[in-house]
Amino acid sequence: MGAARESKNKLTDEIVGRLARQHSTAVVLFHHAVAERLGLGPTDHKCLDLLRERGALAGSDLGAITGLTSGAITGVVARLERAGYLRREPDPHDGRKQILHLALERSPIQDVIDPLRADVSALLENFDAHQLTAIAEFLAGTTDLVYRHAALLRAETISDMGRTRVTGRTASK
Amino acid sequence: MGAARESKNKLTDEIVGRLARQHSTAVVLFHHAVAERLGLGPTDHKCLDLLRERGALAGSDLGAITGLTSGAITGVVARLERAGYLRREPDPHDGRKQILHLALERSPIQDVIDPLRADVSALLENFDAHQLTAIAEFLAGTTDLVYRHAALLRAETISDMGRTRVTGRTASK
DNA sequence: AGAAACTCGCTTAGGAAGTAAGCTATATAC
DNA sequence: GTATATAGCTTACTTCCTAAGCGAGTTTCT
């Protein structure tokens, strides 16, 4: 266990301890700015992103992933539909469900984030294939982990609320 | 310009086109779940993150970075102070300003995100030093870019609002 | 088949938190 | 020394989320 391993540990600590966190803060900020630019709330934008990622979902699925209540989902879908971002279709196999589809091939979001994409592409020029593979695997791996931990956290929060008998956001009220 | 360059381009496209975006969506989701767990709103959590990152800021700085109005900042600071996350001190050089300091060395946020940190650390075990360097540089570089583009976007949005003479969020209303 | 229990999406009432506008106090420029 | 600009607070209003409850459709159990 020599200098190489030590250097690795130092890099790892730097990544998880500072870089990843600063990155997250920036991403959240950007996400909000994009939503504002499009005339959407952050929640609407988040749901639209999920829909684009996962293909077609039912409203209940969207609620399960985001942690939103069914009432909130109704509002999100109504706003996004009215603004032309998505359309609803009844599920042929289940009369209660509404399947949500993206209405636009090329979303207006693309135009908003393209300048950033271009800059990131330029940044990636500096790396070799071996490194790019690492970046791709890092992103895919952390995305998965982050999703799982978010779901876990929400589950804990909900069960805590049951234990402490509070409604709403704050425990002391 | 042979197979190596082609492979690089393919990887780059995959990263900026899909992986980075999925990663962002997951991060936003997680950020919200953490806030909920702590009994904070996403905005409060975001401001707390910024404060931890940048050291000590004035309320006006926080507003400039996040795009929030001064009224909203007043609310954020009041909630975070009441919950014990920060304290305010008058600026000795400017009687109007309030400098915001973190009140806690080890924030409760740490406990909430530590399990994720541990999993990410384990993931990083699979990479060599050369790759870890790339990941670190990628994170640092994109963080910077994302911040700059967020500020740019907000500037555009504000000037657009001036041009089209609308107040509030939606243009058609 | 029929009854009970569950799930989906919508509606309503209420609350949390944002914006916009106006105020006071301090700071700076002319 | 007066005028202008800035920091942060307050107020009125708006938006959007939660909680609770509904009707319609589906699944399960006997």
Side-chain angles (χ1 to χ4, degrees), chain A residues 28-49:
Chain A
V28 171
L29 221 58
F30 183 74
H31 193 268
H32 197 110
V34 169
E36 208 171 36
R37 181 97 186 94
L38 296 172
L40 301 172
T43 301
D44 296 5
H45 180 200
K46 184 166 60 184
C47 290
L48 203 53
D49 261 2

Side-chain angles (χ1 to χ4, degrees), chain A residues 9 11 23 55 67 71 80 85 97 105 107 127 134 136 164 170:
Chain A
N9 284 339
L11 269 168
H23 183 80
L80 289 179
Y85 287 102
K97 286 190 183 176
E105 292 307 310
S107 160
F127 301 110
T164 54
T170 55

Side-chain angles (χ1 to χ4, degrees), chain A residues 73-96:
Chain A
I73 294 292
T74 298
V76 168
V77 171
R79 284 190 297 275
L80 289 179
E81 191 179 33
R82 183 148 26 92
Y85 287 102
L86 62 81
R87 61 176 201 284
R88 289 185 298 180
E89 288 180 9
D91 185 338
H93 303 308
D94 188 333
R96 300 164 301 177

Side-chain angles (χ1 to χ4, degrees), chain A residues 118-138:
Chain A
D119 279 358
V120 173
S121 288
L123 181 71
L124 292 176
E125 284 291 319
N126 303 322
F127 301 110
D128 61 38
H130 187 229
Q131 291 181 310
L132 288 178
T133 304
I135 291 170
E137 281 173 15
F138 171 77

Side-chain angles (χ1 to χ4, degrees), chain B residues 40 60 73 137:
Chain B
L40 301 172
S60 51
I73 294 293
E137 281 173 15

